[in-house]
Amino acid sequence: MWTIFSRDSSKDFPYEISESPSYGFNEKSLWKLNKGKKKNTTQEVSIFEFLINDDIPGGETRSALAKSAVKHLKTLKHPNILSFLESSEVKSIIYLSTEYVEPLQSFISSQNNLNTDIMKQYIAWGISNIIEGLKFLNFEAKLCHNKVNIWSVFVNKAGQWKLGELEYMNSVENSPPPYVSDLYRAPGHRQSPYSIDIWGLGVLIWEVFNGPLSNQSALKMSKKIPKEILTIYPKLIAVDPMNRPSYDILISMLREQGYFGNDLEKTMTSLSQYHILDDFQRAAFLDKLPSLLETFPKNIALYNVLPSLLEMFNYVKEQKVIFRSIIKLSAMLDDHEFEEKIVPCIIKLFESNDRATRLLLLSTIELYASRLKADLLNTNIFPLLVSGLADANPTIRELTVRSMVHISSKLNYNNLNVELMRHFARLQMKDDQGSIRTNTTVCLGKIAQHLDPKNRSKILSSAFSRALKDPFQPSRMAGVSAFSATQQYYPLIEVSTRVLPALCQVTLDPEKGVRDIAFQTIKGFLGKLENVSEDERLKEKMGRDYYVI
């Protein structure tokens, strides 16, 4: 008889019900909708549940409808139709598991204000989802849904609107089945593949803005429907099927009225059709995307935009442009998801020899550095990153220096105290860009706390003394300021024999700004020596302090 079920027992059914919300949908459908998950995982799903009772009047018809819905859902694959996962008939219950969704009616009723700009954009995009789903059904699958309304539409985690409730579906060549409720039965006879479902779309639009329909006469009350839709809405619900517009005419008119074509809808369309965009369209889309992301609902950004961008990242040449949006969205991910989805992109970009790509990574490093695991950073990323200190491009060298502030706390002993210090010494002595020499000194002062305490004072005093002899005035200024900022890291003997003699040399600096800050810094160091001279008990305490990280 029916062979649509892929499992015969609850033991084999790989999903389980975790919660049974009191959705209004459950009172309007043959099915009860539950929240569920895949067994032994955290994967969220929806589980539709139908109770078989052929002994009651109409019971056999209801069972046949439920099984028909499962059969259709299992065979129809489209982005705007509910995604089938598994089905099972266990004793007197049919279980149907799908992607995780929420009834549209529940989602809409939970929104505080449908008139905000982003909600207007979102609803317009949702309506366009359903139009695309209906076009597929009516013209490609040659099927008519016959029950399009707010109770047959669901919202997934990515915010997409999905068609469900397929139990009344039949061929476009046949009349709607007689058991479709009078409330949602389209007036007149089928005159075209779309004439029934386009009327249902009109009902859906009315219900989105007014709530569930109670009688068909209410469809004429269009006060709450956006003005951009009103020019076409009366034709959607026309009594005469011949007066109802085609989907293409509907889309064209909604675009003319400015209802379609908003930023959200255009972004979603560009993502889904990225492979057919020309180079100019791709560039325009990707350049604008980062600024739009903040305005999008979080669920759309996280579960729709980000997965699409990650998929595109693997096969398109515009990886560095895509990365700007990816790294912005990555803030929404937990640490495990970040490591799984974002870190491979970062490593892949660091492996690139393209300078524009490296500049992008360096200019955004503060957005991802704190989330990189130390082992991965030291082994996979640091060797690639530190090569930028020897790059021929001054901007890359300077940004690489600055980037060390964000990663120094996670570097291992050799990478921080040996490899990086070797590069910093070379930059201070040989780089032809004064700003790079200056920023190397500034950076060293900022990361001093992470250096090995046993070697820290020697590393710092040597580097900052070197900066004091630089012909570039800002570099000398940076050297003096760095000594001042790191006073706690020098043993008293080093203060008296190395630090103060070096600082005294710049008290005669040709630039008064350097001289002024040098005198202030010298006073600070002398103050420490004076305090110890007055109270030798402080000597032991200060000796301990400079070893503290």
Side-chain angles (χ1 to χ4, degrees):
M1 185 179 169
W2 294 93
T3 58
I4 58 175
F5 298 105
S6 51
R7 293 291 184 271
D8 296 325
S9 71
S10 57
K11 182 179 180 181
D12 293 331
F13 190 58
Y15 302 94
E16 58 189 2
I17 294 173
S18 58
E19 185 182 348
S20 298
S22 55
Y23 292 128
F25 163 84
N26 295 338
E27 299 176 6
K28 302 291 183 179
S29 175
L30 299 175
W31 301 87
K32 178 183 178 183
L33 176 56
N34 306 284
K35 293 182 179 180
K37 64 177 183 178
K38 189 172 185 178
K39 292 177 181 177
N40 302 318
T41 73
T42 58
Q43 179 189 347
E44 293 181 299
V45 300
S46 286
I47 299 177
F48 292 80
E49 183 181 2
F50 175 79
L51 182 62
I52 300 173
N53 190 348
D54 292 347
D55 295 332
I56 63 173
E60 290 187 4
T61 298
R62 289 166 54 87
S63 296
L65 288 171
K67 293 176 181 179
S68 175
V70 175
K71 183 179 71 171
H72 284 305
L73 199 61
K74 188 175 182 179
T75 56
L76 290 169
K77 306 295 181 185
H78 188 271
N80 301 119
I81 294 177
L82 203 56
S83 297
F84 172 91
L85 295 176
E86 197 83 51
S87 60
S88 178
E89 184 173 346
V90 181
K91 296 181 180 178
S92 60
I93 300 176
I94 296 175
Y95 293 105
L96 167 63
S97 62
T98 70
E99 62 181 309
Y100 182 83
V101 291
E102 177 184 2
L104 176 61
Q105 184 274 333
S106 297
F107 176 83
I108 292 294
S109 62
S110 69
Q111 303 304 306
N112 295 325
N113 187 356
L114 298 183
N115 293 318
T116 62
D117 183 61
I118 190 57
M119 277 306 297
K120 289 180 179 178
Q121 291 191 42
Y122 174 70
I123 290 173
W125 177 57
I127 292 172
S128 72
N129 289 170
I130 300 305
I131 292 174
E132 292 304 314
L134 291 174
K135 286 177 66 176
F136 166 76
L137 284 180
N138 295 167
F139 292 100
E140 294 186 40
K142 308 295 184 184
L143 294 169
C144 184
H145 187 282
N146 290 316
K147 192 191 172 186
V148 180
N149 57 61
I150 201 167
W151 304 110
S152 61
V153 177
F154 302 85
V155 183
N156 70 3
K157 292 181 74 171
Q160 286 179 285
W161 290 15
K162 302 262 187 160
L163 279 168
E165 290 283 274
L166 308 184
E167 51 265 23
Y168 298 106
M169 185 176 291
N170 67 359
S171 169
V172 293
E173 297 177 359
N174 300 329
S175 298
Y179 26 80
V180 176
S181 69
D182 290 340
L183 179 62
Y184 291 115
R185 183 185 294 278
H189 300 288
R190 192 190 314 276
Q191 299 293 329
S192 67
Y194 59 81
S195 62
I196 300 296
D197 285 344
I198 199 80
W199 182 87
L201 179 65
V203 173
L204 170 64
I205 290 172
W206 188 94
E207 290 183 309
V208 165
F209 297 103
N210 293 275
L213 185 67
S214 57
N215 60 79
Q216 287 195 10
S217 61
L219 293 173
K220 298 178 181 179
M221 302 170 61
S222 56
K223 184 177 180 180
K224 294 183 179 180
I225 294 176
K227 64 180 185 300
E228 298 92 340
I229 304 179
L230 284 178
T231 53
I232 191 71
Y233 169 74
K235 296 181 180 180
L236 299 178
I237 59 166
V239 174
D240 186 351
M242 295 295 292
N243 293 331
R244 297 170 195 162
S246 67
Y247 296 116
D248 289 341
I249 291 176
L250 170 62
I251 292 171
S252 177
M253 291 196 68
L254 291 179
R255 288 200 181 282
E256 287 179 10
Q257 295 298 318
Y259 190 68
F260 284 172
N262 61 61
D263 286 336
L264 178 59
E265 191 217 348
K266 286 194 290 188
T267 297
M268 297 302 109
T269 300
S270 295
L271 283 174
S272 63
Q273 299 179 359
Y274 189 82
H275 59 289
I276 62 173
L277 300 180
D278 60 35
D279 289 345
F280 176 80
Q281 291 170 322
R282 289 185 176 188
F285 165 63
L286 293 174
D287 284 342
K288 188 177 181 180
L289 183 58
S291 63
L292 295 176
L293 293 175
E294 294 178 358
T295 67
F296 291 172
K298 182 179 178 180
N299 63 324
I300 294 178
L302 186 58
Y303 297 111
N304 195 317
V305 179
L306 182 57
S308 297
L309 292 176
L310 289 172
E311 183 180 354
M312 289 161 50
F313 184 89
N314 292 320
Y315 69 84
V316 302
K317 62 182 180 181
E318 302 90 354
Q319 290 178 334
K320 61 178 178 289
V321 188
I322 294 174
F323 183 74
R324 287 188 298 161
S325 297
I326 288 177
I327 203 63
K328 194 168 188 176
L329 291 172
S330 69
M332 301 180 185
L333 300 176
D334 60 33
D335 289 341
H336 174 73
E337 291 175 318
F338 182 88
E339 184 178 4
E340 179 184 12
K341 299 176 181 178
I342 308 301
V343 168
C345 299
I346 294 173
I347 294 175
K348 187 172 184 178
L349 291 178
F350 266 114
E351 291 173 345
S352 170
N353 293 321
D354 179 61
R355 283 200 170 100
T357 299
R358 180 58 62 91
L359 286 172
L360 172 64
L361 288 166
L362 294 171
S363 62
T364 57
I365 195 167
E366 71 277 4
L367 299 178
Y368 60 84
S370 63
R371 306 190 71 179
L372 297 173
K373 288 190 173 181
D375 288 347
L376 180 139
L377 174 63
N378 283 283
T379 304
N380 298 90
I381 295 179
F382 180 77
L384 299 170
L385 174 59
V386 78
S387 67
L389 296 175
D391 196 277
N393 186 299
T395 304
I396 289 181
R397 295 200 304 276
E398 184 161 351
L399 287 178
T400 304
V401 169
R402 294 183 181 186
S403 73
M404 297 304 160
V405 173
H406 302 287
I407 67 169
S408 59
S409 63
K410 295 184 178 183
L411 294 180
N412 60 31
Y413 177 90
N414 188 70
N415 283 341
L416 178 60
N417 295 277
V418 180
E419 185 69 14
L420 182 59
M421 293 305 104
R422 180 175 63 83
H423 281 285
F424 272 15
R426 177 182 52 78
L427 289 174
Q428 280 191 311
M429 292 186 292
K430 297 183 178 181
D431 201 281
D432 60 357
Q433 300 293 314
S435 62
I436 293 177
R437 300 194 301 273
T438 301
N439 280 318
T440 300
T441 302
V442 172
C443 177
L444 187 53
K446 290 183 177 181
I447 68 174
Q449 60 182 315
H450 304 301
L451 295 173
D452 178 44
K454 295 179 180 179
N455 301 311
R456 178 165 48 202
S457 64
K458 292 182 179 179
I459 291 174
L460 297 181
S461 60
S462 296
F464 299 156
S465 296
R466 189 181 302 122
L468 299 182
K469 300 174 184 178
D470 196 301
F472 189 55
Q473 181 264 338
S475 185
R476 300 195 301 278
M477 183 82 77
V480 178
S481 298
F483 265 129
S484 178
T486 58
Q487 289 188 35
Q488 70 271 33
Y489 298 132
Y490 306 99
L492 295 175
I493 186 65
E494 191 157 351
V495 171
S496 62
T497 59
R498 298 191 65 184
V499 176
L500 284 174
L503 287 169
C504 286
Q505 295 182 40
V506 290
T507 57
L508 294 176
D509 193 275
E511 297 292 335
K512 188 175 186 302
V514 176
R515 298 197 301 271
D516 288 346
I517 194 171
F519 283 120
Q520 293 175 14
T521 304
I522 289 171
K523 288 177 183 178
F525 279 109
L526 284 175
K528 293 179 69 173
L529 295 177
E530 287 183 46
N531 289 337
V532 171
S533 178
E534 295 294 328
D535 185 354
E536 290 198 3
R537 291 174 299 178
L538 295 174
K539 189 174 184 178
E540 183 179 353
K541 180 180 183 299
M542 289 185 181
R544 291 195 306 267
D545 287 349
Y546 87 90
Y547 280 113
V548 176
I549 296 180

